[in-house]
Amino acid sequence: RVPERVASLHLAAASTGGELVRSGAGAALLAELETIVADPEGFWEYPAESPVRLIPGFVAAARQEGRRALDDPGRARRALAHELALLGSEELPDLRSVPAPAFLYWGALDELVALEQARAWQAALGPQVTVRVYPEAGHDVQYLHWEEILDDIAGGR
């Protein structure tokens, strides 16, 4: 609503929402929900080689969040279905009027939020966006490259 107040915009592996639903990934996620509800800690698990394992307490906190988020399986199912319905009903806003610098951070190996979604964000943001694609990163790109992201937020060195 007030694009002149935005200092900078940073998106790391951000779903476009509607694309998640149109691609069928949303339906697959709902179908997978029974498995997620049965093992919420496992859903928040990270691969053994993930750099988040180097952050003290991160994995334990993620597991705890999994337990908390899915403590009521019925509510979790309803909430996820509601969120997917909202995502499917909206297109990305046209953000080209935002004069602030914008940055996209993507892992080329991300199986949850594909690189095509970064391209959709790029189109919504206009030509002044910086796109950083990391060939070795997956959906945890923001943890693998957090120092660079923080440097971008600070406006460079």
Side-chain angles (χ1 to χ4, degrees):
R1 294 184 189 182
V2 283
E4 66 279 0
R5 293 182 64 189
V6 177
S8 64
L9 183 62
H10 304 264
L11 302 170
S15 171
T16 59
E19 184 60 33
L20 180 69
V21 174
R22 285 189 296 279
S23 72
L29 185 57
L30 277 174
E32 186 184 344
L33 187 57
E34 293 306 317
T35 304
I36 295 170
V37 167
D39 181 19
E41 290 183 13
F43 180 69
W44 269 265
E45 190 61 53
Y46 289 87
E49 68 278 1
S50 175
V52 302
R53 294 190 173 277
L54 301 174
I55 303 170
F58 185 91
V59 172
R63 289 180 184 141
Q64 181 180 13
E65 176 61 16
R67 285 190 306 272
R68 186 203 60 76
L70 297 174
D71 65 348
D72 178 345
R75 184 184 72 216
R77 288 183 195 89
R78 290 188 306 276
L80 182 57
H82 175 74
E83 289 298 320
L84 290 172
L86 288 176
L87 289 172
S89 66
E90 296 183 17
E91 295 296 322
L92 289 178
D94 183 349
L95 299 170
R96 291 175 289 181
S97 66
V98 177
F103 297 82
L104 301 176
Y105 310 92
W106 242 262
L109 303 177
D110 192 336
E111 295 178 7
L112 186 61
V113 182
L115 189 55
E116 292 79 26
Q117 294 190 45
R119 300 296 177 225
W121 280 110
Q122 185 177 18
L125 290 162
Q128 300 304 320
V129 64
T130 299
V131 181
R132 301 191 195 287
V133 178
Y134 302 95
E136 80 290 353
H139 192 60
D140 55 358
V141 66
Q142 65 271 30
Y143 306 112
L144 187 60
H145 296 280
W146 67 272
E147 286 185 19
E148 184 172 3
I149 294 171
L150 291 174
D151 188 49
D152 287 342
I153 291 171
R157 294 178 198 191

